[in-house]
Amino acid sequence: TSLITTGYPLDGSAGAGGIFQAATTSTFGLGNNDRNNKIGDTFIAEIFAHNPAQGVFCGTYTGTGSAGLKLTTGFPGGMLITLQTQGATRIADIKTGTSSHILANTVGNTEVAGSVASFDSDGFTLDSNGLNISAETYLYIAIADPALF
């Protein structure tokens, strides 16, 4: 199990530097690391569970660099949060539409051009932009459009 916001394994293995420790199916512990446990700082843990019946789909995909890559979730797409394993966290949602998305790990959460090509009745279709870089691996959380789910 991995946290999509960091890409680090919950058990502190595989080079995570002890960021997360003692994970169970319902809890996780924090290591002694300023990235997520600095004395005096406030942190928020956003935890998502893969549950398509309730409108949450978690998975991975490899970018093609070409428009048309389909992410099938089984429900109408409303929000897509992606994490490139080597970089950016991006958020696209049906309210913002197909013209832009948020680059979430920048100062000010920069809005950038391009987004998903379409929000579909069974997921999302990606365009050829930062959400779909050729050969890049992405972790993602897809959330259903609440107006249609």
Side-chain angles (χ1 to χ4, degrees):
T1 304
S2 294
L3 289 179
I4 197 165
T5 57
T6 65
Y8 291 122
L10 287 177
D11 64 3
S13 64
I19 291 177
F20 300 104
Q21 301 171 359
T24 70
T25 57
S26 60
T27 65
F28 64 93
L30 299 176
N32 185 16
N33 188 301
D34 283 353
R35 290 185 66 189
N36 69 341
N37 196 15
K38 185 176 180 181
I39 294 173
D41 284 357
T42 301
F43 296 89
I44 297 172
E46 296 178 354
I47 311 297
F48 296 88
H50 179 75
N51 189 344
Q54 295 296 313
V56 179
F57 193 100
C58 302
T60 63
Y61 66 92
T62 301
T64 63
S66 301
L69 178 61
K70 176 75 174 170
L71 300 180
T72 303
T73 61
F75 51 74
M79 179 183 286
L80 180 64
I81 303 169
T82 67
L83 171 72
Q84 290 171 254
T85 56
Q86 299 299 316
T89 299
R90 299 171 187 271
I91 303 170
D93 66 84
I94 199 160
K95 299 292 185 191
T96 304
T98 59
S99 63
S100 65
H101 67 275
I102 302 297
L103 189 55
N105 56 337
T106 60
V107 174
N109 295 323
T110 307
E111 187 172 352
V112 294
S115 185
V116 298
S118 61
F119 294 88
D120 305 327
S121 63
D122 62 347
F124 305 85
T125 300
L126 301 181
D127 210 338
S128 58
N129 56 35
L131 297 167
N132 186 15
I133 297 170
S134 181
E136 183 69 38
T137 301
Y138 296 82
L139 304 172
Y140 73 95
I141 302 167
I143 300 173
D145 178 354
L148 300 174
F149 187 69

